[in-house]
Amino acid sequence: MIKAVGAGVVASGLSTPAAGASRAAETDVLMVVEKSGHAVSFYDTASGKRQGTVRLPDYPHEMVVDSRRRYAYVGHYGVRMSSTVGEGGAAVFVIDLAERSLARTIDTRPFNRIHGMGIDAHDRLYALSEEKAVLLGFDAPSTDRAPTRAVPTHGVKTHLFSLSRDGERAYVTGLLSHTVSLVRPHDAAVPPVLATPGQLPESSCLSRDERTLFVGARKSSSLVALDARTMKVRRSRKTGGDPLRVYPLDDERLLVTDIVAKSLTTWSTDLRPLRSLRLDGTPSAVSFHPVRPLAYVSLLDTNRVAVVDLDRFAVVGGFATQLEPDASVLLPGRS
C-alpha cells in the first residue's frame, strides 16, 4: 500500500496482475475508485470477481474515461471527505486501461484538492481544484504534463461540476458559497454567472437537451431545476432527505441517490417523485450500462456495489469491493 504523499508528489503505480486484460474485455467490467482502499479496481460484473487493482496515493476520488476506453483519469483529492481539513493532493492520475496500471501522474500544483473531473466529446479533460476554486483544462490529456488552461469559478469550496458535451460550458458547485457557477472553460474573459439553488449544492446534471440544469441542494433537502443559459431557478422540490448525486436517465426522468434515506429515487424532469428503492447501504456514485437497464450503485459504508434493474427498480445482484467504493465507470465487453 502506498502511504499518503504531499501535494504533487508522484508515486509509483503498483498493480496486481491484470489476469488477462484481453480476456477480461469479453465481459463487462466495472472500474471502481475505492477511496479508503486508496486504489482503483476492476470487477467482472457477472461474477463480481476482482480482476486487478491499481494502487494510488491516499484518497483518490472522482474519475472519467476517454471515448476510446484507452485512459482513465482520476483526481487526487488527498483527503477522505470535504469536511476533512488538509492540503490534500495536487495531481491527476492517468490509468492505462489496456495494461491496468498507472501510466503517469500529471502534477497540478499549486492547484490542490483535485475533486470534480469531466471529459468532453473531444476527449479534452477538466479537473476542479476545490481549494483554489479553479477549473483546470487539459487539451491533450493523454500527453499533457500540466494544465493547458485554467478559469476561476468564483465559488468557495468548489467540489463537482457538470459539463456540456462540447466542453464550452461547465456548471461548478460551491459547497461553502452555496452557489452554482456557469463558467466558460475555454474563455476566462467571460465572467461566471452564479446562482444560489439552496444550501450545500453538491451534485448536478444537465438534461439531455442541455437546456436545464438539475442540482441537489443537500442541506436544503431540495432538487432544483435551473435554466442552463440564464441560471434562473425554474422550480424546486423538497426531497425529504439528502440528495447527494443527480443523474439523467432519459428525456423524462432523473435518478437521485440519498445518503440519509439510503435510497435511490426516480424523479420526473418536472420534479415529481416517481419510484423509490431502499438500499442496504449508503449510496454514492452510480454508473449505467450503455444498452441494458442496469445501474451499478456504490455503497460506501458496506463496501459493495449493488446492481439495480431500472425497469423493475429492484436490486438484482451485487458484489464486494475494497474500502469505500465511490466513482465508477462501466467498461462494456465485446460480446
Side-chain angles (χ1 to χ4, degrees), residues 32-69:
V32 184
V33 174
E34 295 154 329
K35 293 194 302 187
S36 290
H38 316 302
V40 171
S41 292
F42 299 82
Y43 294 89
D44 182 308
T45 59
S47 66
K49 181 179 179 181
R50 181 159 57 97
Q51 297 180 333
T53 292
V54 180
R55 302 293 176 184
L56 297 172
D58 283 3
Y59 302 115
H61 274 224
E62 299 300 303
M63 173 176 63
V64 291
V65 170
D66 66 23
S67 62
R68 297 177 300 146
R69 298 294 192 263

Side-chain angles (χ1 to χ4, degrees), residues 203-217:
S203 177
S204 67
C205 70
L206 283 165
S207 60
R208 292 291 181 89
D209 62 10
E210 299 192 342
R211 294 179 179 178
T212 305
L213 181 74
F214 299 99
V215 180

